[in-house]
Amino acid sequence: MNRTYELMFIVRPDMTDEDLDKLISTLQSAVPASLGTVKSVEKMGKRRLAYTVRRFNDGIYVLMIVEGGGAAIHELERRLRVTEPVIKFLTVRVDEEQKRLEKIKKLRDAKKKVSGQPAPSAEEGAAVPAAETPASA
Amino acid sequence: MADETRAPEPAASSERPRSEGGRPGGDRPRFGGPGRGPGGPGREGGPGGRKFFRRKKVCKFCVEKIEDINYKDYRLLGQFVAESGKIVPRRLTGVCAPHQHRLSSAIKQARNIALLPFAGRAS
């Protein structure tokens, strides 16, 4: 399974740093059991929430990138639901989106390398002259 | 026939009684009219009796080649959200349709994770 998920969750603001680390390691330990790997964890710091969630106005945001199947996310979300300090979470599947962005980046890099034209036109339009130049040469 | 500004329509328009009231070009589908596509064909002389032109608005994402519209960059998304928290329609912002879809999904995700409000001013 090579699905990539971004899991962002908000923790109540009165958590200490070490409690937060403990929580994150507990969550991380749940992942390998369901055939997944945690690629990265990023603590995004305390932020003011746009609306009140469970009577909190601030929260500590944590972003976790997980690779694995749906079972890994299912397990993680189950744990997040019962964990008391976590007040909100959101999971987004990002592998398709990343594939699309990679493709666009590749197209753009190829366009820059092949054509020396100063004014880049639209991508589809640029792919055609890029393909035509070797044919005409 | 004085009010017949829609020249390309064949004689069918004179038979339809409801076309009389449609002077500002309301009910006739006209591509390039409400949309602000780049180089819209409705620009030439303005058929259909639109009395004024909106300055041609371009899609910010197409121009700056921003492809990654993420829920995480709330500052970028906040530009397309009104004071009340509502998503601004694309006829006002000039965003093209595929980017508007991605933008609106990103805004909805951001709302769910409390980066943007559902209603009220974004802090």
Side-chain angles (χ1 to χ4, degrees):
Chain A
M1 278 290 170
N2 51 357
R3 296 181 178 190
T4 314
Y5 294 92
E6 261 185 19
L7 174 58
M8 186 180 264
F9 57 93
I10 310 178
V11 171
R12 44 190 293 172
D14 45 13
M15 279 267 273
T16 57
D17 230 0
E18 50 177 74
D19 279 341
L20 187 59
D21 288 330
K22 253 194 282 179
L23 174 78
I24 292 176
S25 55
T26 333
L27 291 174
Q28 273 181 311
S29 60
V31 174
S34 33
L35 308 167
T37 48
V38 175
K39 284 205 76 186
S40 68
V41 175
E42 189 190 329
K43 280 188 260 189
M44 306 183 71
K46 196 186 280 206
R47 241 212 110 211
R48 193 173 162 76
L49 300 178
Y51 48 88
T52 315
V53 180
R54 265 201 234 167
R55 274 178 281 149
F56 290 113
N57 284 319
D58 304 298
I60 305 176
Y61 280 76
V62 182
L63 177 66
M64 199 187 255
I65 302 184
V66 177
E67 261 186 18
I73 287 295
H74 199 77
E75 178 60 30
L76 267 177
E77 286 197 348
R78 189 189 66 85
R79 290 202 175 210
L80 283 173
R81 244 180 279 266
V82 294
T83 318
E84 204 269 321
V86 170
I87 52 179
K88 231 184 205 302
F89 62 88
L90 175 75
T91 316
V92 181
R93 187 172 160 188
V94 293
D95 48 82
E96 298 289 326
E97 178 74 11
Q98 276 175 354
K99 256 200 289 188
R100 186 183 71 95
L101 290 173
E102 285 287 319
K103 198 164 102 157
I104 292 176
K105 214 165 87 77
K106 248 195 297 187
L107 269 175
R108 290 219 179 125
D109 289 340
K111 184 175 68 163
K112 259 187 262 190
K113 257 197 300 181
V114 174
S115 63
Q117 294 154 21
S121 46
E123 286 168 38
E124 313 89 68
V128 171
E132 271 181 350
T133 33
S136 61
Chain B
M1 297 282 183
D3 58 346
E4 184 125 70
T5 50
R6 299 170 228 134
E9 283 286 281
S13 62
S14 57
E15 293 161 6
R16 269 184 284 155
R18 64 184 174 91
S19 66
E20 301 299 310
R23 191 129 192 250
D27 55 10
R28 192 166 67 95
R30 187 173 67 233
F31 56 92
R36 303 275 180 278
R43 278 178 63 111
E44 261 68 308
R50 281 269 155 135
K51 292 197 181 69
F52 54 90
F53 273 120
R54 288 281 158 71
R55 173 181 55 85
K56 187 172 76 166
K57 256 191 165 299
V58 288
C59 170
K60 180 191 165 90
F61 300 101
C62 291
V63 163
E64 297 173 18
K65 303 239 193 292
I66 304 170
E67 280 306 329
D68 186 19
I69 305 172
N70 215 335
Y71 64 95
K72 295 195 282 287
D73 43 11
Y74 54 92
R75 266 176 222 137
L76 173 69
L77 299 179
Q79 295 170 21
F80 297 93
V81 163
E83 277 284 308
S84 53
K86 296 192 196 179
I87 302 178
V88 184
R90 60 180 265 251
R91 63 189 156 84
L92 297 182
T93 55
V95 181
C96 68
H99 284 136
Q100 178 74 2
H101 291 154
R102 277 186 226 132
L103 181 67
S104 94
S105 325
I107 291 176
K108 290 171 189 172
Q109 282 171 350
R111 282 175 176 169
N112 268 309
I113 198 73
L115 288 169
L116 285 177
F118 283 99
R121 212 148 49 97
S123 47

